[in-house]
Amino acid sequence: MVPQAPPGFKSGFIGIIGRPNVGKSTLMNQLVGQKIAITSPVAQTTRNRLRGILTTKEAQLIFVDTPGIHKPHHQLGEVLVKNAKIAIESVDVVLFVVDATTICGAGDRYIADLLARSSTPVILGLNKIDEQPSDFLKIDASYAQLASSQQWQTIKFSAKTGAGLPELQQLLIQHLEPGPYYYPPDLVTDQPERFIMGELIREQILLLTREEVPHSVAVSIDQVQETPTVTRILATIHVERDSQKGILIGKGGSMLKAIGSAAREQIQKLIAGKVYLELFVKVQPKWRQSRIHLAEFGYRVEE
Ligand SMILES: Nc1nc2c(ncn2[C@@H]2O[C@H](COP(=O)(O)OP(=O)(O)OP(=O)(O)O)[C@@H](O)[C@H]2O)c(=O)[nH]1
Ligand SMILES: [Mg+2]
């Protein structure tokens, strides 16, 4: 049930936008206090626009995590970047996240140009301040210049340690208008559990396999069967080539076993119950170029 908002209650949508790997998903998880988006050191981890919901006494903040904006090399990449651009136009505020351990680069400036052309208000968020590189003064100056050219307010935080996040939360609430509860107060994401299960499997593949594999992978959840004692999940990992299937299965099935047992632990945390997980690997040539397969795996341009 969605309750009636008290007078003065604020609510709205906040788009988390930025280059790949700057920490957008880590930030959203910290803000909502639960792992709903997968994260990894591999760039281009996030593929779907994913909402994370934070409800406090005074406000409901709906964060929209987006795929990192980059130059797309295949149809999947194009769909992802298109969706991130749509997100910019459909939110009330954009939180433009940059990595404060590296100097402002062409990728950041490309996004800054996109944002400057939109009418959505922007806050520049400098993430990863828990790490302080030796040339931080130069780095700081590069982002200060970026912010002042557009008159964007700047805020610093660490999505990893949580430093600066209460201040970020307050600043975002200041930017919201009075509004209703869009979601029930105890909900943390708009995505069904099944989707997050698939993502948790994909996360382990990102963390455990070699570089050429992760981006060619899609996961489908084929069956979820709940019994009083255990939840039985059947899932398929789709790859593009036989060689990738070989890597995923590993010697004597060792890699698939490692992926399965790590993912099972994560899914158990998600559903707070015992899980039996069975994984299959299937070769689906060039799925990233195929509109039909992209749609089948849940990657489509969102209106
Ligand atoms: N030191 C440090 N590392 C961080 C911080 N936030 C995120 N990271 C790391 O940065 C890497 C990328 O994090 P993600 O949250 O997956 O980044 P993302 O922006 O969502 O990446 P894409 O989904 O690929 O666009 C991970 O290894 C995180 O652990 C932070 O505040 N400090
Ligand atoms: Mg992400």
Side-chain angles (χ1 to χ4, degrees), residues 33-231:
Q34 199 177 314
K35 180 167 164 182
I36 51 172
I38 64 167
T39 66
S40 89
V42 185
Q44 297 167 41
T45 296
T46 302
R47 288 182 182 168
N48 300 68
R49 206 166 60 175
L50 173 68
R51 286 179 185 161
I53 305 153
L54 171 66
T55 308
T56 70
K57 270 198 205 93
E58 48 177 338
Q60 184 167 68
L61 294 82
I62 301 141
F63 297 100
V64 186
D65 185 18
T66 61
I69 294 182
H70 63 282
K71 214 171 161 203
H73 297 298
H74 41 65
Q75 190 139 20
L76 171 64
E78 264 176 47
V79 171
L80 302 190
V81 171
K82 232 179 231 167
N83 284 338
K85 289 182 184 169
I86 291 172
I88 295 173
E89 297 305 327
S90 58
V91 294
D92 300 304
V93 184
V94 164
L95 179 62
F96 176 18
V97 180
V98 295
D99 180 343
T101 67
T102 59
I103 201 153
C104 177
D108 298 303
R109 279 192 291 271
Y110 172 71
I111 297 170
D113 283 343
L114 277 180
L115 293 174
R117 271 184 265 143
S118 131
S119 57
T120 312
V122 176
I123 295 169
L124 182 68
L126 275 62
N127 187 29
K128 309 197 184 183
I129 55 160
D130 54 291
E131 280 184 40
Q132 200 177 52
S134 53
D135 55 347
F136 75 95
L137 285 175
K138 215 168 118 189
I139 296 174
D140 263 19
S142 74
Y143 290 113
Q145 196 188 1
L146 183 75
S148 71
S149 69
Q150 303 293 338
Q151 297 180 317
W152 290 334
Q153 210 168 343
T154 303
I155 183 158
K156 296 182 180 182
F157 48 81
S158 165
K160 190 175 175 184
T161 66
L165 294 190
E167 292 80 2
L168 172 64
Q169 199 177 307
Q170 278 316 311
L171 181 67
L172 291 170
I173 292 174
Q174 279 170 28
H175 277 76
L176 296 182
E177 304 280 335
Y181 284 104
Y182 288 100
Y183 293 97
D186 56 352
L187 200 70
V188 290
T189 179
D190 66 329
Q191 289 294 330
E193 223 159 45
R194 249 174 196 256
F195 167 79
I196 300 175
M197 287 174 183
E199 287 290 275
L200 291 172
I201 296 167
R202 200 165 62 80
E203 181 177 51
Q204 292 308 320
I205 298 167
L206 291 175
L207 295 173
L208 293 172
T209 62
R210 277 183 255 150
E211 245 173 40
E212 56 155 321
V213 179
H215 296 307
S216 317
V217 159
V219 175
S220 62
I221 300 291
D222 308 320
Q223 209 184 88
V224 178
Q225 210 174 26
E226 284 179 56
T227 75
T229 49
V230 68
T231 301

